[in-house]
Amino acid sequence: MEKHIVTNYDLDLDQCKTMIGEMSIYIDKLLVDVVGLVSSKNTNLINGIFRTEEEINKLEKKLRLFTLNVLSKRQPMADDLRAVLITLKISGILERIADHLVNITKKIDHQIKIPEYFSSKMDLEALGKLVSENFSTVINLYKEPSNEVAKEVLRKDMLCNELFSEICKKNLDDISKNNEQKECKFFIEINFIAKEFERIGDLVKNISKEVRYSISGKVR
Amino acid sequence: MVSKKKIKVLTKRVSVFYGDKQAIKDVNLEIYENQVTSLIGPSGCGKSTFLRCINRMNDTIDICRITGKVLIDNDDIYKATLDPVLLRARVGMVFQKPNPFPKSIFDNVAYGPQIHGLTNSKEELEDLVVNSLQKAGLFNEVKDRMNESGTSLSGGQQQRLCIARAIAVSPEIILMDEPCSALDPIATAVIEELIDELMQNYTIVIVTHSMQQAARVSQQTAYFHMGNLIEFGETSKIFQNPKNKQTQDYITGRIG
């Protein structure tokens, strides 16, 4: 893309990308910590997770003000307009992803003993890791748009959905086979956590839709 | 539902030459009735020259030569039997700098109808002047000083007076050549609001350097570059997702 006549305009658009990049680094960290918390129940991670979420919220506000300033100052058109609009939308999505990750952290009851017959543990960890991996993929897509990478994000999101269904099914099987009513709370918690991960997967897919819109200019 | 747009002005392979220099190159364009069409492009791209083809204002320049066809309601406006003076009553024009006559506000508006013999009595003429000033959104501001000079008005009011003057001869088309470039944002907003209203009764073609103005007031936009029509289409599409890279580079501020 050729440069603008006004150099600061290019700097403003670059800054939009940089700020999304900063937010995504925090989300990456949050994903690693939350997946770690889910698999290891390492409570030392909890305070760090809340602090990271606060940083993300601050960045989201800063980015919102910055993009509003760009809109009013530059009145962008065409692909520039789409770039600023998706920055605004993606920052909102990132903030929502952080909320879901904090929800997972809050849902984990560290007092509950894990039942021995719990069979979807590996699937839950795999779901968390897959969502985390897909997030990295979509951020790469944002930095360097490509149809191939966009398809890869969709493919991984479908895998996330399949894993989520698998976890729900296994949990139901575990409950019905073992008929341990006192363990119900544990399985409900696992289902909620899996649902949060699945929702994050959807949000990651939404980022890919925004990037595709910015390339094509077509609302799908 | 797709509504069928009626073509008011059609240009076929229009080229304009100033001596040896070709200012407009083979332009084919459709201008739709009761819509606002913006002509945009960098300085010297030919948009004003093209605008002036629609009411034969270029005829007044000795070295100017035009080829191709300009049709209004399917009628060739360059045919020998057509009187350019009558054409300019059908196709009014508002210029960049407000240019009221050094006459009273009333006379400024009454002049056109008088020379074209559009009214039969003094009362009829008065009604026409009031009506034109009302349509131009100026009447309430000047009703108590109709005998004051048109040049005593503010820039925005003078421009609306010129619009009233154009409307007074019942044109079908109004050409506007950067009508707000000499006005402040408030006066500009009033003119833009007026354009929105005038669109109900007139076909409007506007040359503007303001992308935001083109995006706000027009339904169709044509982008010119070095005498060529590069892209023409719905304004929303041109400004949100242009097809042509040259258009994209211009509207995003990447070329001068």
Side-chain angles (χ1 to χ4, degrees):
Chain A
M1 184 61 75
E2 283 170 42
K3 290 194 176 304
H4 286 90
I5 298 162
V6 181
T7 312
N8 283 341
Y9 194 171
D10 284 320
L11 294 177
D12 283 350
L13 293 177
D14 286 345
Q15 181 63 10
C16 286
K17 282 203 162 187
T18 305
M19 289 170 92
I20 289 289
E22 275 178 54
M23 279 183 87
S24 65
I25 289 169
Y26 279 110
I27 299 279
D28 255 337
K29 183 182 182 312
L30 212 51
L31 274 162
V32 169
D33 287 352
V34 171
V35 171
L37 184 70
V38 168
S39 55
S40 69
K41 293 216 173 186
N42 178 359
T43 50
N44 292 331
L45 293 167
I46 294 175
N47 285 339
I49 290 170
F50 289 133
R51 273 200 303 274
T52 307
E53 196 244 354
E54 277 174 27
E55 289 302 320
I56 290 167
N57 288 346
K58 278 184 205 163
L59 266 175
E60 194 263 337
K61 277 182 196 154
K62 197 172 144 193
L63 202 149
R64 203 186 323 158
L65 289 174
F66 182 78
T67 47
L68 284 177
N69 193 26
V70 173
L71 283 170
S72 61
K73 195 166 59 175
R74 310 280 176 209
Q75 298 172 346
M77 290 285 186
D79 57 344
D80 295 336
L81 177 62
R82 298 200 298 273
V84 178
L85 282 182
I86 71 154
T87 301
L88 199 56
K89 289 189 83 175
I90 290 174
S91 70
I93 293 174
L94 295 180
E95 195 262 341
R96 287 294 300 142
I97 290 175
D99 286 348
H100 284 291
L101 288 167
V102 164
N103 286 348
I104 292 174
T105 308
K106 286 177 182 168
K107 282 200 173 81
I108 295 173
D109 185 341
H110 301 280
Q111 307 305 319
I112 291 184
K113 194 170 159 278
I114 302 171
E116 283 174 10
Y117 53 84
F118 172 42
S119 62
S120 65
K121 185 171 188 297
M122 300 296 279
D123 294 319
L124 189 63
E125 286 172 24
L127 176 60
K129 282 178 184 162
L130 188 58
V131 166
S132 182
E133 192 186 312
N134 210 17
F135 178 74
S136 299
T137 311
V138 89
I139 291 303
N140 286 336
L141 176 70
Y142 173 73
K143 287 174 188 162
E144 280 180 46
S146 115
N147 281 331
E148 286 309 305
V149 180
K151 281 180 194 161
E152 179 69 6
V153 172
L154 288 181
R155 192 186 64 80
K156 282 182 184 164
D157 181 57
M158 280 168 73
L159 287 179
C160 288
N161 293 342
E162 283 168 17
L163 262 176
F164 169 66
S165 302
E166 188 66 21
I167 290 165
C168 293
K169 190 171 160 289
K170 280 186 180 173
N171 282 351
L172 270 175
D173 284 350
D174 286 348
I175 295 169
S176 56
K177 277 180 195 161
N178 295 284
N179 199 21
E180 291 278 359
Q181 286 194 353
K182 61 177 190 260
E183 314 285 12
C184 271
K185 193 179 171 203
F186 171 80
F187 285 104
I188 289 169
E189 179 188 297
I190 295 298
N191 265 10
F192 273 128
I193 291 171
K195 182 68 198 161
E196 297 281 358
F197 275 132
E198 189 265 343
R199 186 74 196 106
I200 293 169
D202 286 345
L203 292 171
V204 167
K205 188 175 72 180
N206 288 351
I207 293 176
S208 127
K209 282 183 183 169
E210 296 300 337
V211 175
R212 286 167 73 200
Y213 161 70
S214 80
I215 304 165
S216 68
K218 288 176 187 152
V219 181
R220 290 167 204 273
Chain B
M1 193 181 74
V2 179
S3 60
K4 193 156 164 50
K5 292 170 283 197
K6 189 189 165 203
I7 296 170
K8 184 71 182 173
V9 183
L10 178 65
T11 70
K12 291 182 178 173
R13 300 198 63 186
V14 167
S15 293
V16 181
F17 301 83
Y18 292 115
D20 294 334
K21 189 183 174 297
Q22 187 168 4
I24 296 285
K25 298 166 188 168
D26 278 343
V27 170
N28 297 305
L29 185 66
E30 294 173 352
I31 292 167
Y32 303 115
E33 189 169 50
N34 297 121
Q35 288 212 342
V36 181
T37 300
S38 287
L39 310 182
I40 61 167
S43 296
C45 70
K47 52 194 185 301
S48 291
T49 299
F50 180 79
L51 186 80
R52 292 157 65 94
C53 291
I54 302 172
N55 67 346
R56 291 182 58 173
M57 282 290 279
N58 289 322
D59 290 11
T60 58
I61 303 168
D62 287 341
I63 57 164
C64 186
R65 180 168 60 85
I66 295 164
T67 62
K69 280 191 187 313
V70 180
L71 309 175
I72 295 180
D73 293 333
N74 251 337
D75 193 17
D76 184 357
I77 62 167
Y78 281 89
K79 67 185 179 191
T81 52
L82 194 129
D83 180 354
V85 176
L86 292 179
L87 171 73
R88 287 173 204 141
R90 285 177 69 196
V91 187
M93 192 158 188
V94 177
F95 297 88
Q96 184 174 2
K97 197 167 172 284
N99 57 350
F101 303 137
K103 286 170 170 282
S104 70
I105 293 167
F106 183 91
D107 287 343
N108 260 278
V109 184
Y111 184 76
Q114 279 173 324
I115 61 162
H116 287 290
L118 298 182
T119 53
N120 296 318
S121 64
K122 196 176 164 232
E123 289 73 25
E124 217 177 299
L125 182 65
E126 281 173 0
D127 284 349
L128 182 58
V129 169
V130 169
N131 192 262
S132 303
L133 286 167
Q134 279 172 338
K135 279 185 185 164
L138 186 63
F139 181 69
N140 286 340
E141 292 164 55
V142 298
K143 63 185 175 193
D144 301 323
R145 45 182 177 141
M146 296 287 261
N147 293 321
E148 283 180 27
S149 170
T151 54
S152 68
L153 297 172
S154 71
Q157 287 173 326
Q158 285 188 24
Q159 197 62 301
R160 279 181 284 150
L161 180 64
C162 293
I163 293 172
R165 190 174 67 188
I167 290 170
V169 289
S170 303
E172 296 156 40
I173 300 163
I174 302 174
L175 309 178
M176 296 182 166
D177 194 354
E178 295 183 58
C180 301
S181 64
L183 305 182
D184 68 29
I186 304 297
T188 299
V190 174
I191 298 283
E192 286 181 7
E193 173 87 356
L194 178 60
I195 290 172
D196 249 8
E197 286 167 22
L198 293 175
M199 189 181 76
Q200 313 300 322
N201 301 311
Y202 309 96
T203 301
I204 297 172
V205 188
I206 179 170
V207 166
T208 176
H209 275 295
S210 162
M211 307 294 152
Q212 283 69 32
Q213 181 168 69
R216 284 193 297 263
V217 302
S218 65
Q219 289 73 51
Q220 305 291 328
T221 296
Y223 170 61
F224 284 79
H225 185 72
M226 295 177 78
N228 294 298
L229 174 63
I230 305 294
E231 189 167 350
F232 172 67
E234 283 176 30
T235 299
S236 57
K237 286 186 182 155
I238 295 279
F239 286 109
Q240 287 167 31
N241 198 12
K243 296 272 176 290
N244 191 289
K245 188 177 178 301
Q246 277 178 287
T247 316
Q248 166 120 336
D249 284 349
Y250 178 69
I251 63 171
T252 56
R254 287 183 168 90
I255 57 163

